[in-house]
Coordinates of all heavy atoms in Angstrom, one line a residue:
K1048 N 2.9 15.5 -8.9 CA 3.6 15.6 -10.1 C 4.8 16.5 -10.0 O 5.9 16.2 -10.6 CB 2.7 16.0 -11.2 CG 1.6 15.1 -11.5 CD 0.6 15.6 -12.5 CE -0.6 14.8 -12.6 NZ -1.7 15.3 -13.4
A1049 N 4.7 17.6 -9.3 CA 5.8 18.5 -9.1 C 7.0 17.9 -8.4 O 8.1 18.2 -8.5 CB 5.4 19.8 -8.4
A1050 N 6.7 16.9 -7.5 CA 7.7 16.3 -6.7 C 8.4 15.1 -7.4 O 9.5 14.7 -6.9 CB 7.1 15.7 -5.4
V1051 N 8.0 14.7 -8.6 CA 8.5 13.6 -9.3 C 10.0 13.7 -9.5 O 10.8 12.8 -9.3 CB 7.8 13.3 -10.6 CG1 8.5 12.3 -11.4 CG2 6.4 12.7 -10.2
P1052 N 10.5 14.9 -10.0 CA 12.0 15.0 -10.2 C 12.8 14.7 -9.0 O 13.8 14.0 -9.0 CB 12.2 16.4 -10.7 CG 10.9 16.8 -11.4 CD 9.8 16.1 -10.5
R1053 N 12.3 15.2 -7.8 CA 13.0 15.0 -6.6 C 12.9 13.6 -6.2 O 13.9 13.0 -5.7 CB 12.4 15.9 -5.5 CG 13.2 15.8 -4.2 CD 14.6 16.3 -4.3 NE 15.3 16.1 -3.1 CZ 16.4 15.5 -2.9 NH1 17.0 14.9 -4.0 NH2 17.0 15.4 -1.8
L1054 N 11.8 12.9 -6.3 CA 11.7 11.5 -6.0 C 12.6 10.7 -6.9 O 13.2 9.7 -6.4 CB 10.2 11.1 -6.1 CG 9.2 11.7 -5.2 CD1 7.8 11.4 -5.5 CD2 9.6 11.4 -3.7
L1055 N 12.7 11.0 -8.1 CA 13.6 10.3 -9.0 C 15.1 10.4 -8.6 O 15.9 9.5 -8.7 CB 13.4 10.7 -10.5 CG 12.1 10.4 -11.1 CD1 12.0 11.0 -12.5 CD2 11.9 8.9 -11.1
E1056 N 15.4 11.6 -8.0 CA 16.8 11.8 -7.5 C 17.0 10.9 -6.3 O 18.1 10.3 -6.1 CB 17.0 13.3 -7.1 CG 17.1 14.2 -8.2 CD 17.2 15.7 -7.8 OE1 17.2 15.9 -6.5 OE2 17.2 16.6 -8.6
I1057 N 16.0 10.9 -5.4 CA 16.1 10.0 -4.2 C 16.3 8.6 -4.6 O 17.1 7.8 -4.1 CB 14.9 10.3 -3.3 CG1 15.0 11.7 -2.7 CG2 14.9 9.2 -2.2 CD1 13.7 12.1 -2.0
E1058 N 15.5 8.2 -5.6 CA 15.5 6.8 -6.1 C 16.9 6.5 -6.7 O 17.5 5.4 -6.5 CB 14.4 6.6 -7.1 CG 14.2 5.1 -7.5 CD 12.9 5.0 -8.4 OE1 12.9 5.6 -9.5 OE2 12.0 4.4 -7.9
A1059 N 17.4 7.4 -7.5 CA 18.7 7.2 -8.1 C 19.8 7.1 -7.1 O 20.9 6.5 -7.4 CB 19.0 8.4 -9.1
A1060 N 19.6 7.7 -5.9 CA 20.6 7.6 -4.9 C 20.6 6.2 -4.2 O 21.3 6.0 -3.2 CB 20.4 8.7 -3.9
G1061 N 19.7 5.4 -4.6 CA 19.6 4.0 -4.1 C 18.6 3.9 -3.0 O 18.5 2.8 -2.3
I1062 N 17.7 4.9 -2.8 CA 16.7 4.8 -1.7 C 15.4 4.4 -2.4 O 14.9 5.1 -3.3 CB 16.6 6.2 -1.0 CG1 17.9 6.5 -0.3 CG2 15.4 6.1 0.0 CD1 18.0 7.9 0.1
P1063 N 14.8 3.3 -2.0 CA 13.5 2.9 -2.7 C 12.4 3.9 -2.5 O 12.3 4.5 -1.4 CB 13.2 1.6 -1.9 CG 14.4 1.1 -1.3 CD 15.2 2.4 -1.0
V1064 N 11.7 4.1 -3.5 CA 10.6 5.0 -3.5 C 9.3 4.2 -4.0 O 9.4 3.5 -5.0 CB 10.7 6.2 -4.5 CG1 9.5 7.1 -4.6 CG2 11.9 7.1 -4.1
V1065 N 8.3 4.2 -3.2 CA 7.1 3.5 -3.5 C 5.9 4.5 -3.6 O 5.7 5.3 -2.6 CB 6.7 2.5 -2.4 CG1 5.4 1.8 -2.7 CG2 7.9 1.4 -2.3
A1066 N 5.3 4.6 -4.7 CA 4.2 5.5 -4.9 C 2.9 4.7 -4.7 O 2.8 3.6 -5.3 CB 4.2 6.1 -6.3
I1067 N 2.0 5.2 -3.9 CA 0.7 4.5 -3.7 C -0.4 5.5 -4.2 O -0.5 6.6 -3.8 CB 0.5 4.2 -2.2 CG1 1.7 3.3 -1.8 CG2 -0.8 3.5 -2.0 CD1 1.7 3.0 -0.3
T1068 N -1.3 4.9 -5.0 CA -2.3 5.7 -5.6 C -3.7 5.0 -5.6 O -3.7 3.7 -5.5 CB -2.0 6.2 -7.0 OG1 -3.0 7.0 -7.6 CG2 -1.8 5.0 -8.0
D1069 N -4.8 5.7 -5.7 CA -6.0 5.1 -5.9 C -6.5 5.2 -7.4 O -7.7 4.9 -7.7 CB -7.1 5.6 -4.9 CG -7.3 7.1 -5.1 OD1 -6.6 7.8 -5.8 OD2 -8.2 7.6 -4.4
E1070 N -5.7 5.7 -8.2 CA -6.0 5.9 -9.6 C -6.1 4.5 -10.3 O -5.3 3.6 -10.0 CB -5.0 6.8 -10.3 CG -4.9 8.2 -9.8 CD -6.0 9.1 -10.3 OE1 -6.8 8.7 -11.2 OE2 -6.2 10.1 -9.6
P1071 N -7.0 4.4 -11.3 CA -7.1 3.1 -12.0 C -5.9 2.9 -13.0 O -5.3 3.9 -13.4 CB -8.4 3.2 -12.8 CG -8.8 4.6 -12.8 CD -8.1 5.3 -11.6
R1072 N -5.6 1.7 -13.3 CA -4.5 1.4 -14.2 C -4.5 2.2 -15.5 O -3.5 2.7 -15.9 CB -4.5 -0.1 -14.4 CG -3.6 -0.6 -15.6 CD -2.1 -0.5 -15.4 NE -1.7 -1.1 -14.1 CZ -0.6 -0.9 -13.5 NH1 0.3 0.0 -14.0 NH2 -0.3 -1.4 -12.4
E1073 N -5.7 2.3 -16.1 CA -5.8 3.0 -17.4 C -5.4 4.5 -17.2 O -4.7 5.0 -18.1 CB -7.3 2.9 -17.9 CG -7.8 1.5 -18.2 CD -8.2 0.8 -16.9 OE1 -8.5 1.4 -15.9 OE2 -8.1 -0.5 -16.9
T1074 N -5.8 5.1 -16.1 CA -5.4 6.5 -15.9 C -3.9 6.6 -15.7 O -3.2 7.5 -16.3 CB -6.1 7.1 -14.7 OG1 -7.5 7.0 -14.9 CG2 -5.7 8.5 -14.4
L1075 N -3.3 5.7 -15.0 CA -1.9 5.7 -14.7 C -1.1 5.5 -16.0 O -0.1 6.2 -16.3 CB -1.5 4.6 -13.7 CG -2.0 4.8 -12.3 CD1 -1.6 3.6 -11.5 CD2 -1.4 6.1 -11.7
D1076 N -1.5 4.5 -16.8 CA -0.8 4.2 -18.1 C -0.8 5.4 -19.0 O 0.2 5.8 -19.6 CB -1.5 3.0 -18.8 CG -1.2 1.7 -18.1 OD1 -0.3 1.6 -17.3 OD2 -1.9 0.7 -18.4
A1077 N -2.0 6.1 -19.1 CA -2.0 7.4 -19.9 C -1.1 8.4 -19.3 O -0.4 9.1 -20.1 CB -3.5 7.9 -19.9
Y1078 N -1.0 8.6 -18.0 CA -0.2 9.6 -17.4 C 1.3 9.2 -17.7 O 2.1 10.1 -18.0 CB -0.4 9.7 -15.9 CG 0.6 10.6 -15.2 CD1 0.6 11.9 -15.4 CD2 1.6 10.0 -14.5 CE1 1.6 12.8 -14.8 CE2 2.6 10.8 -13.9 CZ 2.6 12.2 -14.1 OH 3.5 13.0 -13.5
F1079 N 1.7 7.9 -17.4 CA 3.1 7.5 -17.6 C 3.5 7.7 -19.1 O 4.6 8.1 -19.3 CB 3.3 6.1 -17.2 CG 3.0 5.8 -15.8 CD1 2.6 4.6 -15.3 CD2 3.3 6.8 -14.8 CE1 2.4 4.3 -14.0 CE2 3.0 6.5 -13.5 CZ 2.6 5.3 -13.1
A1080 N 2.6 7.5 -20.0 CA 2.9 7.7 -21.4 C 3.3 9.2 -21.7 O 4.2 9.5 -22.5 CB 1.8 7.3 -22.3
R1081 N 2.6 10.1 -21.0 CA 2.9 11.5 -21.2 C 4.1 12.0 -20.4 O 4.9 12.8 -20.8 CB 1.6 12.4 -20.8 CG 0.5 12.3 -21.7 CD -0.6 13.3 -21.3 NE -0.9 13.4 -19.8 CZ -1.7 12.7 -19.2 NH1 -2.4 11.7 -19.8 NH2 -1.9 12.8 -17.9
A1082 N 4.2 11.5 -19.1 CA 5.2 12.0 -18.2 C 6.6 11.5 -18.6 O 7.5 12.3 -18.4 CB 4.8 11.6 -16.8
G1083 N 6.7 10.3 -19.0 CA 8.0 9.8 -19.4 C 8.8 9.2 -18.2 O 9.5 8.2 -18.4
A1084 N 8.7 9.7 -17.0 CA 9.5 9.2 -15.9 C 8.7 9.3 -14.6 O 8.0 10.2 -14.4 CB 10.8 10.0 -15.7
F1085 N 8.8 8.2 -13.9 CA 8.1 8.1 -12.6 C 8.8 7.1 -11.7 O 9.5 6.2 -12.3 CB 6.6 7.7 -12.8 CG 5.7 8.1 -11.7 CD1 5.2 9.4 -11.6 CD2 5.3 7.2 -10.8 CE1 4.4 9.8 -10.6 CE2 4.4 7.6 -9.7 CZ 4.0 8.9 -9.7
P1086 N 8.7 7.2 -10.4 CA 9.4 6.1 -9.6 C 9.0 4.7 -10.1 O 7.9 4.5 -10.6 CB 8.9 6.4 -8.2 CG 8.7 7.9 -8.2 CD 8.1 8.2 -9.6
A1087 N 9.9 3.8 -10.0 CA 9.7 2.5 -10.5 C 8.6 1.6 -9.9 O 7.9 0.9 -10.6 CB 11.0 1.7 -10.5
I1088 N 8.3 1.8 -8.6 CA 7.3 1.0 -7.9 C 6.1 1.9 -7.7 O 6.1 2.9 -7.0 CB 7.9 0.5 -6.6 CG1 9.1 -0.3 -6.8 CG2 6.8 -0.3 -5.9 CD1 9.8 -0.7 -5.5
V1089 N 5.0 1.4 -8.3 CA 3.7 2.1 -8.1 C 2.7 1.1 -7.7 O 2.5 0.1 -8.4 CB 3.2 2.8 -9.4 CG1 1.9 3.5 -9.2 CG2 4.3 3.8 -9.8
A1090 N 2.1 1.3 -6.5 CA 1.0 0.3 -6.0 C -0.3 1.0 -6.2 O -0.5 2.2 -5.9 CB 1.3 0.0 -4.6
I1091 N -1.3 0.2 -6.6 CA -2.7 0.7 -6.8 C -3.5 0.2 -5.6 O -3.5 -1.0 -5.3 CB -3.3 0.3 -8.1 CG1 -2.5 0.8 -9.3 CG2 -4.8 0.7 -8.2 CD1 -2.9 0.3 -10.6
D1092 N -4.0 1.2 -4.8 CA -4.9 0.8 -3.7 C -6.2 1.5 -3.9 O -6.6 2.5 -3.4 CB -4.2 1.4 -2.4 CG -5.0 1.1 -1.1 OD1 -6.0 0.4 -1.2 OD2 -4.6 1.7 -0.1
D1093 N -7.0 0.8 -4.8 CA -8.3 1.4 -5.2 C -9.3 1.5 -4.0 O -10.3 2.2 -4.1 CB -8.9 0.6 -6.4 CG -9.1 -0.9 -6.1 OD1 -8.5 -1.4 -5.1 OD2 -9.8 -1.5 -7.0
L1094 N -9.1 0.7 -2.9 CA -10.0 0.8 -1.8 C -9.5 1.8 -0.8 O -10.1 2.0 0.3 CB -10.2 -0.5 -1.1 CG -10.8 -1.6 -2.0 CD1 -10.8 -3.0 -1.3 CD2 -12.2 -1.2 -2.5
R1095 N -8.4 2.5 -1.0 CA -7.8 3.5 -0.2 C -7.5 3.0 1.2 O -7.5 3.8 2.2 CB -8.7 4.8 -0.2 CG -8.9 5.4 -1.6 CD -9.8 6.6 -1.6 NE -9.3 7.7 -0.7 CZ -8.5 8.6 -1.0 NH1 -8.0 8.7 -2.2 NH2 -8.2 9.6 -0.1
R1096 N -7.2 1.8 1.4 CA -6.8 1.2 2.7 C -5.6 1.9 3.3 O -5.5 2.1 4.5 CB -6.7 -0.3 2.6 CG -8.0 -1.0 2.4 CD -7.8 -2.5 2.4 NE -9.1 -3.1 2.3 CZ -9.3 -4.2 1.5 NH1 -8.3 -4.8 0.9 NH2 -10.5 -4.7 1.5
T1097 N -4.6 2.1 2.4 CA -3.3 2.8 2.9 C -3.6 4.2 3.3 O -3.2 4.6 4.4 CB -2.3 2.8 1.7 OG1 -2.1 1.5 1.2 CG2 -1.0 3.3 2.2
H1098 N -4.4 4.9 2.6 CA -4.8 6.3 3.0 C -5.5 6.3 4.4 O -5.2 7.1 5.2 CB -5.8 6.9 2.0 CG -5.2 7.2 0.6 ND1 -4.9 6.2 -0.3 CD2 -4.8 8.3 0.1 CE1 -4.4 6.7 -1.4 NE2 -4.3 8.0 -1.2
Q1099 N -6.4 5.3 4.6 CA -7.1 5.2 5.8 C -6.2 4.8 7.0 O -6.2 5.4 8.0 CB -8.3 4.3 5.7 CG -9.3 4.8 4.8 CD -10.4 3.7 4.4 OE1 -10.3 2.6 4.9 NE2 -11.3 4.0 3.5
A1100 N -5.3 3.8 6.7 CA -4.4 3.3 7.8 C -3.4 4.4 8.2 O -3.1 4.5 9.4 CB -3.7 2.1 7.3
W1101 N -3.0 5.2 7.3 CA -2.0 6.2 7.6 C -2.6 7.6 7.9 O -1.9 8.5 8.2 CB -1.0 6.4 6.4 CG 0.0 5.3 6.4 CD1 -0.2 4.0 6.0 CD2 1.3 5.3 6.8 NE1 1.0 3.3 6.1 CE2 1.9 4.1 6.6 CE3 2.1 6.4 7.3 CZ2 3.2 3.8 6.9 CZ3 3.4 6.1 7.7 CH2 4.0 4.8 7.5
G1102 N -3.9 7.7 7.8 CA -4.6 9.0 8.1 C -4.2 10.1 7.1 O -4.1 11.2 7.5
V1103 N -4.1 9.7 5.9 CA -3.7 10.6 4.8 C -4.9 11.6 4.6 O -6.0 11.2 4.3 CB -3.4 9.9 3.5 CG1 -3.2 10.9 2.3 CG2 -2.1 9.1 3.7
S1104 N -4.6 12.9 4.7 CA -5.7 13.9 4.6 C -5.4 14.8 3.4 O -6.2 15.7 3.1 CB -5.8 14.7 5.9 OG -4.6 15.4 6.1
G1105 N -4.3 14.6 2.7 CA -4.0 15.5 1.6 C -3.0 14.8 0.7 O -2.3 13.8 1.2
T1106 N -2.9 15.2 -0.5 CA -1.9 14.6 -1.4 C -1.0 15.7 -2.0 O -1.5 16.8 -2.2 CB -2.6 13.8 -2.5 OG1 -3.5 14.6 -3.2 CG2 -3.3 12.6 -2.0
P1107 N 0.2 15.4 -2.3 CA 0.9 14.2 -1.9 C 1.2 14.1 -0.5 O 1.4 15.2 0.2 CB 2.1 14.2 -2.8 CG 2.5 15.7 -2.9 CD 1.1 16.4 -3.0
T1108 N 1.2 12.9 0.1 CA 1.7 12.7 1.4 C 3.0 11.9 1.3 O 3.0 10.9 0.5 CB 0.7 12.0 2.3 OG1 -0.4 12.9 2.5 CG2 1.3 11.6 3.7
F1109 N 4.0 12.2 2.0 CA 5.3 11.5 2.0 C 5.6 10.9 3.3 O 5.4 11.5 4.4 CB 6.5 12.5 1.6 CG 6.3 13.2 0.3 CD1 5.7 14.4 0.3 CD2 6.6 12.6 -0.9 CE1 5.5 15.1 -0.9 CE2 6.4 13.3 -2.0 CZ 5.9 14.5 -2.1
A1110 N 6.0 9.6 3.3 CA 6.4 8.9 4.6 C 7.8 8.4 4.3 O 8.0 7.7 3.3 CB 5.4 7.8 4.9
F1111 N 8.7 8.7 5.2 CA 10.1 8.2 5.1 C 10.2 7.1 6.2 O 10.0 7.4 7.4 CB 11.1 9.3 5.3 CG 11.1 10.3 4.2 CD1 10.3 11.5 4.3 CD2 11.7 10.1 3.0 CE1 10.2 12.4 3.3 CE2 11.7 11.0 2.0 CZ 10.9 12.2 2.1
I1112 N 10.5 5.9 5.7 CA 10.5 4.8 6.6 C 11.9 4.2 6.6 O 12.5 3.9 5.6 CB 9.5 3.7 6.2 CG1 8.1 4.4 6.1 CG2 9.5 2.5 7.1 CD1 7.0 3.6 5.5
G1113 N 12.5 4.0 7.8 CA 13.8 3.5 7.9 C 13.9 2.0 7.6 O 12.9 1.3 7.5
A1114 N 15.1 1.5 7.5 CA 15.3 0.1 7.1 C 14.7 -0.9 8.2 O 14.3 -2.0 7.9 CB 16.8 -0.2 7.0
D1115 N 14.6 -0.4 9.4 CA 14.0 -1.2 10.5 C 12.5 -1.1 10.6 O 11.9 -1.6 11.5 CB 14.7 -0.8 11.8 CG 14.4 0.6 12.2 OD1 13.7 1.4 11.5 OD2 14.8 1.0 13.4
G1116 N 11.9 -0.3 9.7 CA 10.4 -0.1 9.6 C 9.9 1.0 10.4 O 8.7 1.3 10.5
T1117 N 10.8 1.8 11.1 CA 10.5 2.9 11.9 C 10.1 4.1 10.9 O 10.8 4.4 10.0 CB 11.6 3.4 12.8 OG1 12.0 2.3 13.6 CG2 11.3 4.6 13.6
V1118 N 9.0 4.8 11.2 CA 8.6 6.0 10.5 C 9.5 7.1 10.9 O 9.5 7.5 12.1 CB 7.1 6.3 10.7 CG1 6.8 7.6 9.9 CG2 6.2 5.2 10.2
L1119 N 10.4 7.6 10.0 CA 11.3 8.7 10.3 C 10.6 10.0 10.3 O 11.0 10.9 11.0 CB 12.5 8.6 9.4 CG 13.3 7.3 9.3 CD1 14.3 7.3 8.2 CD2 13.9 7.0 10.7
Q1120 N 9.7 10.2 9.3 CA 9.1 11.5 9.1 C 8.0 11.4 8.1 O 8.0 10.5 7.2 CB 10.2 12.4 8.5 CG 9.7 13.8 8.1 CD 10.9 14.6 7.6 OE1 11.9 14.8 8.3 NE2 10.8 15.2 6.4
T1121 N 7.0 12.2 8.3 CA 5.9 12.3 7.3 C 5.7 13.8 7.0 O 6.0 14.7 7.8 CB 4.6 11.7 7.8 OG1 4.2 12.4 9.0 CG2 4.7 10.2 8.1
S1122 N 5.2 14.1 5.8 CA 4.8 15.4 5.4 C 3.8 15.4 4.4 O 3.7 14.4 3.6 CB 6.0 16.2 5.0 OG 6.6 15.7 3.8
T1123 N 3.0 16.4 4.3 CA 1.9 16.5 3.3 C 2.1 17.8 2.5 O 2.4 18.8 3.0 CB 0.5 16.5 4.0 OG1 0.4 15.3 4.8 CG2 -0.6 16.6 2.9
G1124 N 1.9 17.6 1.2 CA 2.1 18.7 0.3 C 3.5 18.8 -0.3 O 4.4 18.2 0.3
F1125 N 3.6 19.6 -1.4 CA 4.9 19.8 -1.9 C 5.0 21.2 -2.6 O 4.1 21.5 -3.3 CB 5.2 18.7 -3.0 CG 6.6 18.9 -3.6 CD1 7.7 18.5 -3.0 CD2 6.7 19.5 -4.9 CE1 9.0 18.7 -3.5 CE2 8.0 19.7 -5.5 CZ 9.1 19.3 -4.8
D1126 N 6.0 21.9 -2.2 CA 6.3 23.2 -2.8 C 7.7 23.1 -3.4 O 8.7 23.0 -2.7 CB 6.2 24.2 -1.7 CG 6.5 25.6 -2.1 OD1 6.9 25.8 -3.3 OD2 6.4 26.5 -1.3
A1127 N 7.7 23.3 -4.7 CA 9.0 23.2 -5.4 C 10.1 24.2 -4.9 O 11.2 23.8 -4.8 CB 8.8 23.4 -6.9
A1128 N 9.6 25.3 -4.5 CA 10.6 26.3 -3.9 C 11.1 25.9 -2.6 O 12.3 26.2 -2.3 CB 9.9 27.7 -3.8
R1129 N 10.3 25.2 -1.8 CA 10.8 24.8 -0.5 C 11.5 23.4 -0.6 O 12.3 23.1 0.3 CB 9.5 24.7 0.4 CG 9.8 24.3 1.8 CD 8.5 24.2 2.6 NE 7.6 23.3 1.9 CZ 6.9 22.3 2.5 NH1 7.0 22.2 3.8 NH2 6.1 21.6 1.9
G1130 N 11.1 22.6 -1.6 CA 11.7 21.3 -1.7 C 11.0 20.3 -0.8 O 9.9 20.5 -0.3
L1131 N 11.6 19.2 -0.7 CA 11.0 18.1 0.1 C 11.8 17.9 1.4 O 13.0 17.6 1.3 CB 11.1 16.8 -0.7 CG 10.4 15.5 -0.1 CD1 9.0 15.8 0.2 CD2 10.6 14.4 -1.1
P1132 N 11.2 18.2 2.5 CA 12.0 18.1 3.8 C 12.3 16.6 4.0 O 11.4 15.8 4.0 CB 11.0 18.6 4.8 CG 9.7 18.7 4.2 CD 9.9 18.6 2.7
L1133 N 13.6 16.3 4.2 CA 14.1 15.0 4.3 C 14.6 14.7 5.7 O 15.2 15.6 6.3 CB 15.1 14.6 3.3 CG 14.8 14.8 1.9 CD1 16.0 14.5 1.0 CD2 13.6 14.0 1.5
P1134 N 14.4 13.5 6.2 CA 15.1 13.2 7.5 C 16.6 13.1 7.4 O 17.1 13.0 6.3 CB 14.5 11.8 7.9 CG 13.9 11.3 6.7 CD 13.7 12.4 5.7
P1135 N 17.3 13.3 8.5 CA 18.8 13.2 8.4 C 19.3 11.9 7.8 O 18.6 10.9 7.9 CB 19.2 13.3 9.9 CG 18.0 13.9 10.6 CD 16.8 13.5 9.8
G1136 N 20.4 12.1 7.0 CA 20.9 10.9 6.4 C 20.5 10.7 5.0 O 21.1 9.8 4.3
L1137 N 19.5 11.4 4.5 CA 19.0 11.2 3.1 C 19.6 12.4 2.3 O 19.9 13.4 2.8 CB 17.5 11.2 3.0 CG 16.8 10.1 3.7 CD1 15.3 10.2 3.4 CD2 17.3 8.7 3.1
P1138 N 19.8 12.2 1.0 CA 20.3 13.3 0.1 C 19.5 14.5 0.3 O 18.2 14.5 0.2 CB 20.2 12.7 -1.3 CG 19.9 11.3 -1.2 CD 19.4 11.0 0.2
S1139 N 20.1 15.6 0.5 CA 19.3 16.9 0.7 C 19.1 17.6 -0.6 O 19.7 17.3 -1.6 CB 20.1 17.8 1.7 OG 21.3 18.1 1.1
D1140 N 18.1 18.5 -0.6 CA 17.8 19.3 -1.8 C 19.0 20.2 -2.2 O 19.8 20.6 -1.3 CB 16.6 20.2 -1.6 CG 15.3 19.4 -1.7 OD1 15.3 18.4 -2.4 OD2 14.3 19.9 -1.1

């Protein structure tokens, strides 16, 4: 949740942001009603297949994927004071 403002900035810069969660639709709808803003694309993976495939061990986990499908960088956790470490070429904090 703390990273949402930064993710919205990245999205506004024209870089697609996809959020993947295992939360049920009802939980998400209630959160979105309170939060007011969230990245436009949210995928629900209730079986956690994405988590397993990517070896996600903590949340939030960020994966930056290039236009050619190459994984540019991954990171786990978010600290507002530190910001979100971005690969070269993306808008910086």
Side-chain angles (χ1 to χ4, degrees):
K1048 295 173 188 173
V1051 169
R1053 183 63 181 127
L1054 295 173
L1055 293 173
E1056 289 174 4
I1057 292 168
E1058 190 173 63
I1062 299 166
V1064 173
V1065 178
I1067 302 173
T1068 182
D1069 61 351
E1070 297 284 345
R1072 166 71 49 201
E1073 299 78 23
T1074 302
L1075 293 175
D1076 288 344
Y1078 172 74
F1079 296 151
R1081 288 188 318 271
F1085 204 79
I1088 302 170
V1089 179
I1091 299 174
D1092 180 5
D1093 57 347
L1094 298 177
R1095 299 179 58 87
R1096 289 185 177 141
T1097 307
H1098 292 77
Q1099 293 168 3
W1101 282 77
V1103 172
S1104 61
T1106 57
T1108 294
F1109 302 95
F1111 295 95
I1112 303 169
D1115 64 355
T1117 302
V1118 177
L1119 304 174
Q1120 178 177 305
T1121 62
S1122 64
T1123 301
F1125 180 78
D1126 176 354
R1129 184 181 54 135
L1131 183 59
L1133 303 178
L1137 295 182
S1139 60
D1140 281 336

